[in-house]
Amino acid sequence: MIGKTVTVTVDRPLGSAHPDFPEMIYSVNYGYIKGIIAPDGEEQDAYILGVSQPVKQFSGRIIAIVRRADDVEEKWVVCPLDQTFTKQEIADLIRFQEQYFQSKIMMEVKLCVSDYLQELSELRRVPR
């Protein structure tokens, strides 16, 4: 899933209040991916990072999955194609909601075999 481009329909734009908890204000755009059913039986939820104004719809790349140990739901983290965020940056940006859950941010680690072999070769040349 990580790396895939998706379109998010925003039902809780940046600056809006949570429908059940009005004291919680969304510091990022938040919505769902039409046609993708999540483990809770609803359409897949997604946080949108890297967009500084409220939007109704957004197409971007999935860069992480937020898994909750104490909830059946998981959230996808989507951002513009030309941007990326660290785990810590993601955690900081979604803390407004994830602080109420035991969540873990999953990100794909890409390791190219040729890069690995190059690093291994360089390590063998270093005197010990």
Side-chain angles (χ1 to χ4, degrees), residues 1-101:
M1 219 22 71
I2 294 175
K4 183 178 178 184
T5 300
V6 295
T7 298
V8 181
T9 299
V10 177
D11 58 354
R12 298 178 193 171
L14 172 72
S16 66
H18 189 285
D20 297 326
F21 306 100
E23 67 281 359
M24 183 171 40
I25 305 300
Y26 281 80
S27 56
V28 299
N29 288 289
Y30 179 87
Y32 58 92
I33 292 93
K34 287 182 181 178
I36 305 287
I37 303 302
D40 66 353
E42 301 290 327
E43 289 178 301
Q44 178 63 54
D45 294 327
Y47 293 107
I48 300 171
L49 306 185
V51 178
S52 59
Q53 69 276 346
V55 296
K56 293 182 180 183
Q57 193 173 57
F58 176 78
S59 291
R61 178 175 47 95
I62 301 169
I63 60 166
I65 296 172
V66 180
R67 295 221 168 107
R68 293 176 171 176
D70 52 350
D71 193 5
V72 68
E73 286 189 82
E74 63 182 29
K75 310 292 184 183
W76 292 355
V77 180
V78 179
C79 74
L81 298 175
D82 63 345
Q83 293 184 30
T84 191
F85 294 83
T86 65
K87 262 188 194 181
Q88 188 59 56
E89 289 170 329
I90 293 168
D92 291 344
L93 289 165
I94 65 175
R95 183 170 289 118
F96 75 96
Q97 180 163 261
E98 292 303 317
Q99 67 184 322
Y100 303 107
F101 300 93

Side-chain angles (χ1 to χ4, degrees), residues 86-125:
T86 65
K87 262 188 194 181
Q88 188 59 56
E89 289 170 329
I90 293 168
D92 291 344
L93 289 165
I94 65 175
R95 183 170 289 118
F96 75 96
Q97 180 163 261
E98 292 303 317
Q99 67 184 322
Y100 303 107
F101 300 93
Q102 294 177 5
S103 56
K104 183 175 182 180
I105 298 168
M106 310 300 289
M107 298 178 79
E108 184 175 67
V109 178
K110 293 184 178 180
L111 180 62
C112 178
V113 172
S114 62
D115 291 342
Y116 172 76
L117 292 174
Q118 178 66 34
E119 287 178 26
L120 188 60
S121 174
E122 289 171 9
L123 284 174
R124 288 182 176 159
R125 285 186 243 153

